[in-house]
Amino acid sequence: MKPISKSVPKIDHCAKTRGLAEYVCDYDATGMLYGRILRSKHAKADVLSINLPAMPEGYDFIDHRRIPGLNRVHIVQDDTPVFAERTVEYIGDPIGIIVGPEEREVDRLLACIEVEYDILTPEFDARKSPVAFFEYGYEKGDIAIAFAHADRIYEESFETGRQEQMYLETNGMIAEYAQGKMLVHGTMQCPYYVHTAVAEATGLLPEDVIIAQDVTGGGFGGKEDYPSVLACQAAVAAYVTGKPVRVVLSRREDVEFTSKRHPAFCDIKAAVKDGRVTAMQIEAVYDAGAYTTMTPVVLQRGVIAGGGVYSIENLKVKGEARKTNTVPSGAFRGFGGPQMFFAVEMMMSHIAKDLGEDPLDFKLAHTAKLGDATSTSGMHHFNVPLPAMMDEVAQACDYRRKKEAYADQQGRLRKGIAMSAVYHGAGFTGIGERDIIKAVVRLRKDKDGYAEILVANTDIGQGLSTAFTKIVAQELGLPFDRVIIKLPDTGRVPNSGPTVASRSVMVVGELLRRAAARLKDEWLDGEEQVIEERYVHPDFMITFDIDKFQGDAYPTFSWAATAVEVEVDTFTGDIRILGAWGSYDIGTPIDENIAVGQMEGGLVQSLGYGMMESIAAVNGRIRNNSFSDYLIPTAVDFPAVDVSLHVEEYPEGPYGAKGAGELPLVGGAPATIEAIENAIGVKLSKTPFLPEDVVKALY
Amino acid sequence: MPAGINFNLNGNEMLYTGSPEARLLDVLRDEYRMTGTKCGCREGECGACSVIIDGKLANSCLVAMGSIDGSGVTTIEGYSKTARFAALDKAYESVSAVQCGFCIPGMILASECILAATPHPTEDEIRTGISGNLCRCTGYNAIVKAIGIAAEEGDGLW
C-alpha cells in the first residue's frame, strides 16, 4: 500500500458518534411550516377536481396552478412535473403540497382532501408497454456469421428485481425564501442538480438560488435525482407562502414514492464454437416507471455492460427503457450495470455447465485482456487483473475443493458455491465528463496558511471529505488540520459535478491533487490565493460516439471477483449465506479502512439484492413499504464478509485511484443465485431468489 | 391526576407535564432538542432511535411517556460524556466504522448494552446484540470489529 492509503480518523467521525451532526430533520422547526405531499391514489387517472376541507388560518394548499416558474423538475429531461397538471401517472404522483404550522393539523387536513379522478387504463408490464422512453444499441463483429458457424446456440431470459436504496435517513428538505433569495438545504448527493431544478421551477435567476447540503444519512443513488423533486416542491411552497417550509418524508412515503433500481428483463442468445462463446445477441428491457428521471444514463451503462467482462468477438446489444405506471426508477449504486451483469454472468455459467466445464475456468478463458476491444469497440488500455483476483478469491473460499465436495448432495440441507466476475466503468459514460459535467474545483488558501477545498461533491457517508482532505494535505505536505472542507453550498463552491458514477475520487480527487500541486509551487506566505483546476479529458481515450455507442465508454475499469457460498434447506426453502468473498480492484485506496468499508457495505447490499430484497408492486401499488416487509440485511443475516483489495494503479487518478463506491454491488447477486442453483440443482434465471422461490423451484 | 411524569434523563431529574401518550422519541427531539436520537422509521424496526431505559436498550419511538415514570433514560447526549463512550468512540474510529452516521448513536448505545451484559462477548453475541439496529452502509463488519476492540481496550470499564 502507498503511504496515502494508511487510514486516518474520518473527519466526520466525532460529530456523528456524539449525535452532534446536524441532519435536515435535526433543524429547529420553530417558525417553519410543515409540508406534506398530496399524492395520487391511482396509477393512471385524470384529476377532475380537488375538494379542500375548511383551511384554518396559516394553512395552505399549493398545486400546479401556483408554481411561479416552470412546472417541471429538471433531471436529465424535463418530463417530471413538480405537481401533476391533469393526468397522474403512478400511485404517489404528487398533486400538491399542504403546509401549515402544526404537523398533526397538516396530516389531518391532508386526510380530508377529496380528489375526484377519471380512472384511465394503466400499463404495468414493461415488456408490453408501447412507450419506449429510450433505445440504445450497438454491434461489433458479425453475429450472423458467428451464429451460422456455431456448434451450439443457447437462448435464455433473465429477470432482475426492483431494489430499494433504504438509506437510514429519509429524504428531506427545508426551503426558505426571503428578499428575493431562495435557500434550499437538505439531504442530497448533487447540489448543482438541485440548483438547476429549483431555479427552473421557481423562475428565479440562478444567482438567487442557493442549494446547500446538510449532513446526509446515506444515498446509494437514492439521493441523486429525487432531492431535485422534493426541493422544487418545498421551494415552491416557500415562495408562495413566504415562510420557511420543511418537508421530511416518513419511511413509508420514502420507500413507496422515491426512485429505485430499475427492474429489468434480459434475453440472451449465444453462439458457441469449439467450446468458446463467439457471439452474443442481447436484448434488454428496463422498466423506467412513469417518468424518465436518470433512466437514459442508467440504460446507457446497462447496455455498455453487454458481454460482461469477456472478450466476445461478435456482439449485438440492444436496450430499451419503457414507461410503466409505477414509481419512477432511478439511480441506485451500480446504475444499470447489475441488471446486465447478472444476465451475462448467469448465461456464461449455464453455458459452461452445459459444456461440462467449471464456470470459473470457462469465465477465465473468456476474460478480456490488456489491448482487447471493449464491448463498444474501445480498448482495454490497462491491465485486466481478473485472473489473479479470481484465483485469490478461489483460494480464500476454497472454491475448487468445495465445488467437488458439493457435487452430489442428497440430504435436506444442501450447499453451493459460485463466483462472478464484473467491472464498473469509472466516471461518467463516454464524453459526459468532457462535454456535460466539465468539472471545476478550487482551493483557497488564506493568509494564515489554511487551505480550503471548494467542491460540490458531497460526503454522504462514503468518506469523501476525508479522502479529499488526505489528497490535498498529502500533496501540500500540510497536516490534516490545516486543510478545511465544509458541507458544500452552491453559493460558495464551483460546480465540480455530481456525486455519482464512482467519479468523485478518481475525477474530482485528481483535479484537487493537481490544484494542490500548483498551490504548493505558487505558495506565497501570508497571502490569500485561489487555485482553480478544470477537467481535462485523458488523451489516450478513443472518443466515444454516443449515437453509435462506439469508442471508449470509460477511461478505465474497476474490477471485482465475488464468491458466495450458501446452504439451502430443501424443506423450507430457507437460504443461508455461509460466506461471501470479494477481491476488488479500485486502484490505489485513498484510505484503506474507508475503501474496505465501502466494499463490505456494497457486498452486503448485493447479497440483499440476491436473496432478500424484493419490492413487490401489484397493479402499480408497492405492497412492502417499511422495514418490516422490505427486509434489508441485519447483523445476524450473514457472517462477516471477506473483502480484499487488489491494486492496479490508474495513472490518471490521484495516486493511482479509480472508481470505488458502486463496484461491490455489481457481483454479489449472480454469485448468490448461481450458488443457490448449484445447491439445489435447478437452473435459475432471476434475482432476487427468496425461500418461496426455492420451494416453487423444487416442488 | 398526578402533576406529571418524573424521570431521570442523562442524570438529570425531569418533570414532564405533556401528554403521556407522546412518544419518548418526539419529546427528546422536539421538546428537549436532543437530536442525537434519530428517527428512521417510527415503527420500532430500525433502531436509529435507540436509548437506554433502566439499563435496557429500547426503541424510543415505541415508548410512551406515560410508561417511563420513575425510570432512568440515557441518550447519546448523556452517554457521550462517559469513559465507556470514550473507549467505544476510539474503537469505532480506529476501524472507520462510521459511514453516514444515522444509525450510529443508536448503535453506540446498543454496543454499551452488549458490553454491560457481557464484557467480553463473542462475535455471535455482538451480532445478536446489534441485530435490532440496522446499518445500510457498512455491512456491519467494522461495527462488530469495533465493539470487540472496545471490549479489549476498555477492559475493566464494563
Side-chain angles (χ1 to χ4, degrees):
Chain A
M1 291 283 171
K2 286 196 166 176
I4 194 157
S5 303
K6 186 176 182 305
S7 298
V8 300
K10 289 182 74 188
I11 63 175
D12 52 343
H13 171 88
C14 286
K16 285 176 173 174
T17 51
R18 285 154 183 78
L20 299 173
E22 198 169 27
Y23 301 81
V24 64
C25 58
D26 296 332
Y27 282 78
D28 189 343
T30 311
M32 291 186 191
L33 302 182
Y34 289 92
R36 288 288 307 279
I37 309 292
L38 174 70
R39 299 178 182 281
S40 167
K41 289 189 159 46
H42 298 284
K44 191 175 174 82
D46 281 340
V47 174
L48 301 179
S49 68
I50 301 167
N51 302 312
L52 300 176
M55 299 290 269
E57 176 79 32
Y59 291 79
D60 201 354
F61 174 77
I62 297 147
D63 66 9
H64 71 93
R65 287 167 297 192
R66 294 167 77 188
I67 292 171
L70 196 62
N71 182 21
R72 285 292 179 269
V73 181
H74 178 76
I75 300 176
V76 176
Q77 299 194 344
D78 281 294
D79 59 322
T80 305
V82 179
F83 297 119
E85 279 158 28
R86 180 174 175 85
T87 308
V88 286
E89 297 281 359
Y90 67 97
I91 293 173
D93 206 352
I95 297 169
I97 182 169
I98 184 157
V99 292
E102 293 294 330
E103 199 168 14
R104 278 193 177 195
E105 183 63 6
V106 170
D107 284 343
R108 188 190 70 81
L109 291 166
L110 180 71
C112 293
I113 299 175
E114 286 174 10
V115 182
E116 198 187 339
Y117 298 94
D118 180 18
I119 296 169
L120 306 171
T121 309
E123 179 60 68
F124 300 123
D125 187 343
R127 286 166 297 187
K128 291 182 186 150
S129 170
V131 182
F133 281 146
F134 306 98
E135 186 183 329
Y136 303 121
Y138 57 86
E139 265 188 86
K140 77 167 175 178
D142 189 328
I143 62 160
I145 293 177
F147 279 109
H149 290 98
D151 299 333
R152 304 281 302 268
I153 292 173
Y154 295 87
E155 284 187 78
E156 247 193 284
S157 296
F158 302 93
E159 201 178 323
T160 58
R162 182 180 272 118
Q163 190 185 20
E164 158 62 31
Q165 295 89 351
M166 211 57 125
Y167 31 72
L168 259 279
E169 180 213 24
T170 60
N171 272 285
M173 288 287 165
I174 293 173
E176 298 175 20
Y177 183 61
Q179 280 115 38
K181 302 271 183 196
M182 178 68 70
L183 167 67
V184 184
H185 62 94
T187 182
M188 66 181 74
Q189 294 178 218
C190 313
Y192 272 96
Y193 279 3
V194 179
H195 185 263
T196 306
V198 168
E200 190 172 288
T202 56
L204 292 168
L205 296 170
E207 56 267 35
D208 291 331
V209 174
I210 290 179
I211 307 298
Q213 185 220 3
D214 289 319
V215 177
T216 295
F220 317 114
K223 292 171 184 172
E224 174 173 351
D225 48 15
Y226 186 76
S228 296
V229 176
L230 195 61
C232 285
Q233 292 163 346
V236 164
Y239 184 95
V240 169
T241 61
K243 297 218 168 72
V245 172
R246 170 197 200 266
V247 191
V248 175
L249 300 191
S250 72
R251 174 59 58 186
R252 284 178 186 248
E253 262 185 302
D254 197 296
V255 175
E256 210 170 335
F257 306 128
T258 69
S259 54
K260 299 176 213 317
R261 190 184 305 288
H262 293 67
F265 306 90
C266 196
D267 299 332
I268 303 185
K269 185 177 163 188
V272 170
K273 177 83 179 167
D274 301 327
R276 294 293 172 253
V277 176
T278 53
M280 269 196 193
Q281 182 174 359
I282 303 176
E283 288 187 14
V285 173
Y286 281 44
D287 181 344
Y291 298 110
T292 61
T293 73
M294 302 305 302
T295 292
V297 203
V298 169
L299 183 64
Q300 287 167 9
R301 199 172 266 279
V303 165
I304 291 163
V309 299
Y310 309 108
S311 274
I312 294 168
E313 220 167 301
N314 306 287
L315 190 61
K316 185 175 181 184
V317 183
K318 190 181 103 176
E320 281 184 52
R322 300 228 186 103
K323 175 179 176 175
T324 60
N325 293 101
T326 43
V327 61
S329 304
F332 191 159
R333 198 177 199 172
F335 205 74
Q339 294 92 326
M340 182 61 81
F341 277 106
F342 174 75
V344 173
E345 282 303 286
M346 294 308 294
M347 190 75 190
M348 290 295 282
S349 295
H350 290 171
I351 296 171
K353 289 182 202 177
D354 189 70
L355 296 173
E357 196 171 349
D358 188 275
L360 174 56
D361 297 323
F362 189 68
K363 288 176 181 179
L364 277 167
H366 287 83
T367 302
K369 292 171 198 67
L370 173 69
D372 281 1
T374 63
S375 63
T376 55
S377 307
M379 196 168 105
H380 285 285
H381 297 277
F382 304 100
N383 182 38
V384 179
L386 276 176
M389 295 166 68
M390 291 163 87
D391 190 52
E392 282 161 23
V393 172
Q395 301 283 342
C397 71
D398 205 3
Y399 177 90
R400 292 185 192 277
R401 187 192 62 78
K402 283 176 182 168
K403 213 53 206 285
E404 214 176 297
Y406 304 160
D408 185 29
Q409 300 172 85
Q410 299 301 326
R412 171 179 172 176
L413 301 177
R414 295 180 202 170
K415 292 176 183 175
I417 191 164
M419 195 188 306
S420 72
V422 301
Y423 70 70
H424 188 80
F428 258 74
T429 299
I431 47 178
E433 294 286 349
R434 189 187 77 185
D435 292 0
I436 300 167
I437 304 301
K438 303 174 186 167
V440 180
V441 309
R442 281 190 205 117
L443 270 183
R444 183 171 60 211
K445 178 187 75 89
D446 68 12
K447 288 172 185 160
D448 300 322
Y450 286 83
E452 184 178 2
I453 294 168
L454 296 170
V455 294
N457 296 86
T458 51
D459 193 324
I460 55 176
Q462 84 284 47
L464 194 60
S465 51
T466 304
F468 281 170
T469 302
K470 286 184 79 170
I471 290 169
V472 170
Q474 165 96 9
E475 203 65 31
L476 285 172
L478 286 180
F480 294 138
D481 59 4
R482 296 283 288 278
V483 179
I484 297 163
I485 188 165
K486 295 179 189 160
L487 291 164
D489 81 64
T490 57
R492 295 178 58 251
V493 300
N495 189 354
S496 56
T499 304
V500 303
S502 303
R503 65 181 289 277
S504 298
V505 164
M506 185 181 92
V507 175
V508 183
E510 171 62 11
L511 292 179
L512 282 171
R513 192 197 62 76
R514 291 179 193 175
R518 259 182 59 206
L519 177 59
K520 193 176 182 190
D521 283 348
E522 299 169 17
W523 186 281
L524 296 168
D525 278 329
E527 286 187 30
E528 185 176 316
Q529 288 172 279
V530 177
I531 303 283
E532 186 175 282
E533 280 287 327
R534 289 171 178 271
Y535 179 75
V536 181
H537 206 58
D539 55 12
F540 65 80
M541 284 179 76
I542 301 166
T543 302
F544 190 71
D545 181 333
I546 192 74
D547 296 319
K548 295 180 183 150
F549 274 70
Q550 295 289 307
D552 279 330
Y554 308 101
T556 188
F557 300 89
S558 297
W559 304 95
T562 314
V564 174
E565 184 183 9
V566 301
E567 181 179 75
V568 182
D569 185 329
T570 56
F571 286 4
T572 64
D574 191 37
I575 303 160
R576 210 152 66 82
I577 300 277
L578 298 180
W581 297 260
S583 172
Y584 301 97
D585 166 30
I586 58 165
T588 303
I590 294 301
D591 183 288
E592 200 179 352
N593 277 349
I594 289 176
V596 168
Q598 284 291 294
M599 298 307 114
E600 290 170 346
L603 174 54
V604 167
Q605 279 180 0
S606 80
L607 298 176
Y609 187 44
M611 46 78 76
M612 197 177 240
E613 299 182 29
S614 174
I615 285 279
V618 178
N619 294 333
R621 181 174 299 285
I622 285 171
R623 298 202 311 184
N624 46 347
N625 61 3
S626 73
F627 282 119
S628 35
D629 44 24
Y630 182 84
L631 304 184
I632 63 167
T634 71
V636 292
D637 289 320
F638 311 138
V641 294
D642 185 335
V643 158
S644 59
L645 300 177
H646 184 106
V647 179
E648 198 65 39
E649 291 185 16
Y650 171 51
E652 300 279 330
Y655 305 101
K658 302 192 272 193
E662 292 172 277
L663 177 69
L665 213 147
V666 186
T672 305
I673 302 302
E674 197 201 322
I676 297 170
E677 167 176 296
N678 292 343
I680 64 176
V682 180
K683 196 168 167 183
L684 306 180
S685 56
K686 73 166 190 134
T687 195
F689 214 73
L690 308 178
E692 50 265 44
D693 296 313
V694 172
V695 173
K696 274 184 220 156
L698 284 173
Y699 301 100
Chain B
M1 280 289 285
I5 292 155
N6 290 288
F7 71 106
N8 186 295
L9 177 62
N10 297 326
N12 303 310
E13 290 303 325
M14 308 294 281
L15 174 64
Y16 170 79
T17 56
S19 166
E21 62 166 10
R23 298 165 193 251
L24 173 59
L25 170 66
D26 294 340
V27 172
L28 290 170
R29 289 180 54 83
D30 301 338
E31 292 198 28
Y32 301 149
R33 296 288 307 138
M34 293 179 152
T35 55
T37 306
K38 302 299 177 196
C39 174
C41 68
R42 287 175 85 76
E43 299 185 357
E45 290 288 346
C46 75
C49 67
S50 295
V51 298
I52 299 173
I53 303 177
D54 298 332
K56 288 210 170 82
L57 196 69
N59 290 317
S60 62
C61 68
L62 296 188
V63 174
M65 287 304 292
S67 72
I68 61 161
D69 188 48
S71 290
V73 176
T74 303
T75 70
I76 194 68
E77 286 84 0
Y79 186 68
S80 59
K81 311 286 189 285
T82 65
R84 289 177 171 187
F85 169 83
L88 279 166
D89 186 45
K90 201 175 155 201
Y92 271 66
E93 185 182 83
S94 72
V95 290
S96 307
V98 177
Q99 291 193 28
C100 91
F102 207 75
C103 73
I104 288 298
M107 200 64 87
I108 296 258
L109 293 174
S111 311
E112 157 62 25
C113 290
I114 293 167
L115 297 177
T118 317
H120 293 282
T122 63
E123 185 186 331
D124 277 354
E125 286 168 333
I126 294 172
R127 286 183 173 271
T128 303
I130 57 167
S131 63
N133 294 75
L134 296 176
C135 167
R136 186 58 155 167
C137 297
T138 64
Y140 305 102
N141 271 23
I143 292 171
V144 171
K145 210 180 283 176
I147 298 169
I149 293 169
E152 274 186 37
E153 302 288 320
D155 191 25
L157 284 171
W158 283 276

